[in-house]
Amino acid sequence: MALSATQMSLCFQSYWYMWLTSALSGLLFMGIDIGIAAFFMAKFRKRKPSNYKRPPTVDNRPLSPTEIKTFDDPERNTASRRSRIRGSSAKSDNSGIMDGSNDFAHATCEMINLFRQQYDVPSVELDDQLSEIAQDWANQMAETGKLEHRPLESRNFARQSLGENYLAQYQTELTANKMVRKWMKEGRRYRFGYDGRRDTSNFTQLVWQGTRQIGVGRARSADGNWWYGVVVFDPPGNIPNQYAENVKFPTE
């Protein structure tokens, strides 16, 4: 049975104080909870010491005299940007062949000939002039931190371009064994009887039948983190349409 308007009015007048009490109680308990939470947050928050100063950032730190001068020197500003891009790429002292590089060169030549014997191709000889070329480029990569081939125009020897393999090793010393074996592993992907690919070029150059002499160089970055190894080949390998006659099947 529905209540009339008069009955509803009497009901409201009788129980209005109960509704008001419930609402006020809810607000009171909510305020208490908020106060307790704020108290513990303030208590356990790590406050900075009174003498704390915000560390300088790129935007708010004072400029050094060198940086102020850089704004007026475009060439110096460009060099600064390049050094930031390179990050920790180190410089070599470019002092020529490093200590132990002569032993490294002979060990590399022996390793290469060991593998060339397995492919029934003539051994190569270590040449001093070629080693100077290889060492010069190893120094260059150690200085710039860039792992790349020497430009063809500066890789000429006796009126022809040289073949070139290179490798970088991080932190641990680059040995002849590591370097040559790394290149030889590319042979797993090579299809004998066909022209080689970019990812097998180091292997095919190592066992190229027409190559007779090599030069070897190794350099280390100034921070000591990177080793760079370079081997140049004369005559060069990886000549299109000549792979089948120069890259033999292994005999072992």
Side-chain angles (χ1 to χ4, degrees):
M1 180 177 179
L3 296 176
S4 63
T6 303
Q7 291 174 329
M8 291 181 64
S9 177
L10 292 174
C11 183
F12 176 77
Q13 292 176 5
S14 300
Y15 295 100
W16 69 269
Y17 64 92
M18 295 178 60
W19 296 339
L20 180 61
T21 302
S22 298
L24 291 176
S25 298
L27 292 174
L28 178 63
F29 283 113
M30 184 182 297
I32 293 174
D33 292 339
I34 294 175
I36 293 174
F39 171 78
F40 282 104
M41 287 179 64
K43 183 176 181 180
F44 292 104
R45 181 185 301 167
K46 292 182 179 180
R47 296 183 178 180
K48 298 175 182 177
S50 57
N51 60 348
Y52 174 81
K53 293 183 180 180
R54 182 180 179 183
T57 62
V58 175
D59 296 328
N60 64 10
R61 66 177 173 81
L63 296 175
S64 66
T66 302
E67 291 173 314
I68 294 174
K69 186 176 180 180
T70 300
F71 287 117
D72 300 325
D73 190 347
E75 293 184 0
R76 190 168 185 175
N77 196 18
T78 301
S80 177
R81 287 198 301 269
R82 288 176 179 172
S83 64
R84 288 196 299 269
I85 292 173
R86 290 174 187 166
S88 61
S89 60
K91 293 184 177 181
S92 167
D93 58 6
N94 289 331
S95 58
I97 297 178
M98 299 173 58
D99 293 340
S101 285
N102 192 39
D103 294 337
F104 174 79
H106 284 284
T108 300
C109 187
E110 291 178 2
M111 284 292 299
I112 291 176
N113 284 331
L114 180 64
F115 283 110
R116 287 176 68 89
Q117 290 176 7
Q118 298 177 12
Y119 289 82
D120 195 26
V121 294
S123 298
V124 293
E125 295 180 355
L126 186 64
D127 182 81
D128 291 340
Q129 286 184 298
L130 294 177
S131 291
E132 289 180 5
I133 295 174
Q135 183 63 47
D136 179 68
W137 190 242
N139 290 341
Q140 177 70 14
M141 289 196 294
E143 179 181 357
T144 62
K146 294 181 179 180
L147 191 64
E148 59 186 359
H149 281 294
R150 179 194 292 267
L152 284 175
E153 58 270 16
S154 59
R155 209 195 309 166
N156 293 331
F157 182 76
R159 297 185 179 180
Q160 70 174 353
S161 297
L162 300 171
E164 182 181 72
N165 287 5
Y166 58 76
L167 186 68
Q169 176 78 27
Y170 182 63
Q171 289 189 341
T172 57
E173 181 181 358
L174 179 63
T175 64
N177 183 54
K178 290 179 182 178
M179 184 171 69
V180 177
R181 288 186 180 276
K182 176 74 172 179
W183 292 334
M184 288 300 298
K185 287 181 180 179
E186 296 180 4
R188 301 171 183 174
R189 300 188 294 270
Y190 178 68
R191 295 181 62 191
F192 289 89
Y194 295 87
D195 279 7
R197 305 176 306 186
R198 183 184 296 273
D199 60 350
T200 61
S201 61
N202 292 314
F203 160 73
T204 51
Q205 175 61 88
L206 279 182
V207 299
W208 194 266
Q209 180 175 256
T211 298
R212 293 292 181 268
Q213 294 179 317
I214 65 169
V216 182
R218 183 181 65 168
R220 191 178 186 183
S221 59
D223 61 6
N225 286 331
W226 286 94
W227 292 81
Y228 297 87
V230 178
V231 179
V232 294
F233 302 82
D234 181 45
N238 296 334
I239 301 174
N241 302 320
Q242 296 185 20
Y243 282 82
E245 60 188 83
N246 281 281
V247 183
K248 306 294 185 180
F249 284 92
T251 58
E252 298 180 6

